[in-house]
Amino acid sequence: MPEKLTNKGNKKVVMADGADHISALPDELLQYLLSFLPSREAVQTCVLSQRWRHQWKYVPALRINDVDSFYSVQQLNKFVHHLLMHRKRTPLYVCELDSFRNGEVAEWYQYAVSCEVEMLQVDTAHSADYCRLPEMAITSNHLTTLEFSGVQLGHLSLDFSSCPKLEVLVMRGCKILVQKILSQSVRSLSITQCNFELNTRTHISAPSLISLELADILGWTPALERLPSLSTAFVRLDDRCEDYCLHSYYGDCGDQVSCGKHCTRFYDIHDDDCVLLGGLSNVTNLELITSPKVFIVRKDLLMRPTFSKLKTLLLNVSDADAGFGPLVYILRSSPVLEKLTLQLYEEPKAKIETDGSCNLVEQLMASKKLKVVEIKYSKIVVLCRVLQILNTCGVPRKKISIERTELWSFGSHFSFEQT
């Protein structure tokens, strides 16, 4: 293979025969290669030669993702202003937007949508404050993937009905001030570390949704409307969730001193509807991890949802749950369950009182299709109680695999791929 040489005079890469083979490539291929660079670096290639002078103007990508290379937000805004002013309005395959505080992200966002962007990412998580985007519905026949990070979303609704090709929606570390998230086309939805700040529940309507991740939220748990296509879900609600009660199993202790409003206005939906489990009732694979203080799953179980398609379940179990109600109920309501993974741990604080109404072991037989039960535990006391329940349910000991770990505390996470 010919040896690569560097001509320091014009910074072009040439081969041993002296030919600049890269510059000889077609324009479309050069622009494609430049699309993988941050936009600032793509623009800098204009000094390589006359052949490269205008290539950056036609690159099908905007990547404003290297903000740390700018001295100030003013310098960043100035660069992007000139970039968008001189760039040809060719369609964008991908656009990544990042900024300091007071960056003009909203204008860049609107520009990307106007250029028929297919994959749009707005990430201002490292900024000192949430970035505010225009409070208007997006209209795009080209957008397929939309990711928000560190963004404030605050209108009556996030209505993506005018984005018929949108399939992937990600919200990470955002402030969500909307009453409803609506999309007819989204197939994958991820909401993590977001702050739901309304005094009412945000409702999620996504009838085409196949995959859901809802984890580590602040505020009230969003209400899932009917999700008939949902197949895989990961839900983790920790102590930051405001659907908690320190004393009552179902969140109705009425103690406004220690629990505040959280257990006195717990539902904010119709009395016969679920918040979470109704939307999860069609899943095939489910990971459900909740803090013992969070009552929303236990309250949902009173609505008697069924899980007729559930084959793989990962569930955390705490000794604070005296009757292991969620485990017992879900086992009874999952007739085709094949694999069960249990994460057991001790809750160091006082146990939450229960009325025992979910302790239905005497009425329960586990799914006849159950092949594998994997248990990960730290304390033998909790393990023995769970084994007793499984034995009463008719689960033979040979199907149960047990692993001890010293690291269990609430929030530890493992997934199906790790088990």
Coordinates of all heavy atoms in Angstrom, one line a residue, residues 343-346 375-381 383 402-410 412-414:
Q343 N -35.5 -9.2 42.4 CA -34.5 -8.5 43.1 C -34.9 -8.2 44.5 O -35.9 -7.5 44.8 CB -34.2 -7.2 42.4 CG -33.3 -6.2 43.1 CD -33.2 -4.9 42.4 OE1 -33.3 -4.8 41.2 NE2 -33.0 -3.8 43.1
L344 N -34.3 -8.8 45.5 CA -34.7 -8.8 46.9 C -33.8 -7.9 47.7 O -32.6 -7.9 47.5 CB -34.8 -10.1 47.6 CG -35.5 -11.3 46.8 CD1 -35.4 -12.5 47.7 CD2 -36.9 -10.9 46.4
Y345 N -34.4 -7.0 48.6 CA -33.5 -6.2 49.4 C -34.3 -5.8 50.7 O -35.5 -5.9 50.7 CB -33.0 -5.0 48.7 CG -34.2 -4.0 48.3 CD1 -34.5 -2.9 49.1 CD2 -34.9 -4.2 47.1 CE1 -35.5 -2.0 48.7 CE2 -35.9 -3.4 46.8 CZ -36.2 -2.3 47.6 OH -37.2 -1.4 47.2
E346 N -33.6 -5.4 51.7 CA -34.2 -4.9 52.9 C -34.4 -3.5 52.9 O -33.5 -2.7 52.4 CB -33.3 -5.3 54.1 CG -33.4 -6.7 54.6 CD -32.8 -6.9 56.0 OE1 -31.8 -6.3 56.2 OE2 -33.4 -7.7 56.7
I375 N -33.4 -15.5 41.4 CA -33.5 -14.6 42.6 C -32.2 -14.1 43.0 O -31.2 -14.8 43.1 CB -34.1 -15.4 43.8 CG1 -35.5 -16.0 43.5 CG2 -34.2 -14.5 45.0 CD1 -36.1 -16.8 44.6
K376 N -32.1 -12.7 43.2 CA -30.9 -12.1 43.6 C -31.2 -11.4 45.0 O -32.1 -10.7 45.1 CB -30.4 -11.1 42.6 CG -30.1 -11.7 41.2 CD -29.7 -10.6 40.2 CE -29.6 -11.2 38.8 NZ -28.4 -12.1 38.7
Y377 N -30.4 -11.8 46.0 CA -30.8 -11.3 47.3 C -29.6 -10.9 48.1 O -28.4 -11.3 47.8 CB -31.6 -12.5 48.1 CG -30.6 -13.5 48.6 CD1 -30.3 -13.6 50.0 CD2 -30.1 -14.5 47.8 CE1 -29.5 -14.6 50.5 CE2 -29.2 -15.5 48.3 CZ -28.9 -15.5 49.6 OH -28.1 -16.5 50.1
S378 N -29.8 -10.2 49.3 CA -28.7 -9.9 50.2 C -29.0 -10.4 51.6 O -28.0 -10.7 52.3 CB -28.6 -8.4 50.2 OG -29.8 -7.7 50.7
K379 N -30.2 -10.6 52.0 CA -30.6 -11.0 53.3 C -31.4 -12.3 53.3 O -32.4 -12.4 52.5 CB -31.3 -9.9 54.1 CG -30.5 -8.6 54.3 CD -29.3 -8.9 55.1 CE -28.5 -7.5 55.3 NZ -27.3 -7.7 56.1
I380 N -31.0 -13.3 54.0 CA -31.6 -14.6 54.0 C -33.1 -14.5 54.4 O -33.9 -15.3 54.0 CB -30.8 -15.6 54.8 CG1 -31.3 -17.0 54.6 CG2 -31.0 -15.2 56.3 CD1 -31.0 -17.5 53.2
V381 N -33.5 -13.6 55.3 CA -34.8 -13.6 55.8 C -35.8 -13.3 54.7 O -36.8 -13.9 54.6 CB -34.9 -12.5 56.9 CG1 -36.4 -12.3 57.4 CG2 -34.1 -12.8 58.1
L383 N -35.3 -13.7 51.5 CA -35.3 -14.9 50.6 C -36.2 -16.0 51.1 O -36.9 -16.6 50.3 CB -33.8 -15.4 50.5 CG -33.6 -16.7 49.7 CD1 -34.0 -16.4 48.2 CD2 -32.2 -17.1 49.7
I402 N -30.6 -19.1 42.6 CA -30.4 -18.1 43.6 C -29.0 -17.6 43.6 O -28.1 -18.4 43.5 CB -30.7 -18.7 45.0 CG1 -32.2 -19.2 45.1 CG2 -30.5 -17.7 46.1 CD1 -32.5 -20.0 46.4
E403 N -28.9 -16.3 43.7 CA -27.5 -15.7 43.7 C -27.5 -14.6 44.8 O -28.4 -13.7 44.9 CB -27.2 -15.0 42.4 CG -25.9 -14.2 42.3 CD -25.7 -13.5 41.0 OE1 -26.4 -13.8 40.1 OE2 -24.8 -12.7 41.0
R404 N -26.5 -14.7 45.7 CA -26.4 -13.7 46.7 C -25.5 -12.6 46.3 O -24.4 -12.8 45.7 CB -25.8 -14.3 48.0 CG -25.7 -13.3 49.1 CD -25.5 -14.0 50.5 NE -25.6 -13.1 51.6 CZ -25.7 -13.4 52.9 NH1 -25.7 -14.7 53.2 NH2 -25.7 -12.5 53.8
T405 N -25.8 -11.3 46.6 CA -25.0 -10.2 46.3 C -25.0 -9.3 47.5 O -26.0 -9.2 48.2 CB -25.5 -9.4 45.1 OG1 -24.8 -8.2 44.9 CG2 -27.0 -9.0 45.2
E406 N -23.9 -8.6 47.7 CA -23.8 -7.7 48.9 C -24.2 -6.2 48.6 O -24.1 -5.4 49.5 CB -22.4 -7.7 49.5 CG -22.0 -9.1 49.9 CD -22.8 -9.7 51.0 OE1 -23.3 -8.9 51.8 OE2 -22.9 -10.9 51.1
L407 N -24.6 -6.0 47.4 CA -24.7 -4.6 47.0 C -26.1 -4.1 46.8 O -26.4 -3.0 46.4 CB -24.0 -4.4 45.6 CG -22.5 -4.7 45.6 CD1 -21.9 -4.5 44.2 CD2 -21.8 -3.8 46.6
W408 N -27.1 -4.9 47.2 CA -28.5 -4.5 46.9 C -29.0 -3.4 47.8 O -28.9 -3.4 49.0 CB -29.5 -5.7 47.2 CG -29.4 -6.7 46.1 CD1 -29.3 -8.0 46.2 CD2 -29.5 -6.4 44.7 NE1 -29.3 -8.6 44.9 CE2 -29.4 -7.7 44.0 CE3 -29.7 -5.3 43.9 CZ2 -29.5 -7.8 42.6 CZ3 -29.8 -5.4 42.5 CH2 -29.7 -6.6 41.9
S409 N -29.3 -2.3 47.2 CA -30.1 -1.2 47.8 C -31.0 -0.8 46.7 O -30.8 -1.1 45.5 CB -29.2 -0.1 48.2 OG -28.5 0.4 47.1
F410 N -32.1 -0.1 47.1 CA -33.0 0.3 46.1 C -32.4 1.2 45.0 O -31.6 2.1 45.3 CB -34.2 1.1 46.6 CG -35.1 1.6 45.5 CD1 -35.9 0.7 44.9 CD2 -35.1 2.9 45.1 CE1 -36.7 1.1 43.8 CE2 -35.8 3.3 44.1 CZ -36.7 2.4 43.4
S412 N -30.6 -0.2 42.5 CA -29.7 -1.0 41.7 C -30.4 -1.5 40.5 O -31.5 -1.9 40.5 CB -29.2 -2.2 42.6 OG -28.5 -1.7 43.7
H413 N -29.7 -1.5 39.4 CA -30.3 -1.8 38.1 C -29.6 -2.9 37.4 O -28.4 -2.9 37.2 CB -30.4 -0.5 37.3 CG -30.9 -0.8 35.9 ND1 -30.3 -0.2 34.8 CD2 -31.9 -1.6 35.4 CE1 -31.0 -0.6 33.7 NE2 -31.9 -1.5 34.1
F414 N -30.4 -3.9 36.9 CA -29.9 -4.8 36.0 C -31.0 -5.1 35.0 O -32.2 -4.9 35.3 CB -29.3 -6.1 36.6 CG -30.4 -6.8 37.5 CD1 -31.1 -7.9 37.0 CD2 -30.6 -6.4 38.8 CE1 -32.0 -8.5 37.7 CE2 -31.5 -7.1 39.6 CZ -32.2 -8.1 39.1

